[in-house]
Amino acid sequence: DTSNPMAMLQSLYNSNAIMIEDLKISFPIAEQANEEGVANFIAERIDVHQKWQWKLRASLATTINS
């Protein structure tokens, strides 16, 4: 439901969680292949997505507790 901001926020939170999971699966594969540049890129993406996840979780909690 794209007209409900809370539903959109929850959907984004869920999608971001899936992205983090996929990146965490990809990271050891890149390391095993000795692809340090790719592994570094994935590690940076994990960090950014985890930060976004924290912000999304905080936004959801703030809205629910308001």
Side-chain angles (χ1 to χ4, degrees):
D1 180 13
T2 58
S3 64
N4 180 338
M6 286 307 298
M8 289 172 43
L9 190 58
Q10 185 65 54
S11 178
L12 184 57
Y13 178 87
N14 295 341
S15 295
N16 195 57
I18 292 168
M19 178 60 74
I20 292 168
E21 191 176 310
D22 290 346
L23 288 167
K24 285 183 176 183
I25 291 168
S26 302
F27 181 77
I29 295 169
E31 280 190 318
Q32 289 174 353
N34 292 321
E35 291 291 340
E36 290 184 28
V38 175
N40 288 339
F41 173 78
I42 293 170
E44 290 172 8
R45 298 300 353 147
I46 291 170
D47 288 343
V48 170
H49 280 280
Q50 286 177 331
K51 182 178 180 180
W52 289 343
Q53 196 73 348
W54 177 85
K55 289 179 180 183
L56 291 166
R57 185 174 34 253
S59 295
L60 284 166
T62 301
T63 306
I64 291 170
N65 293 329
S66 296

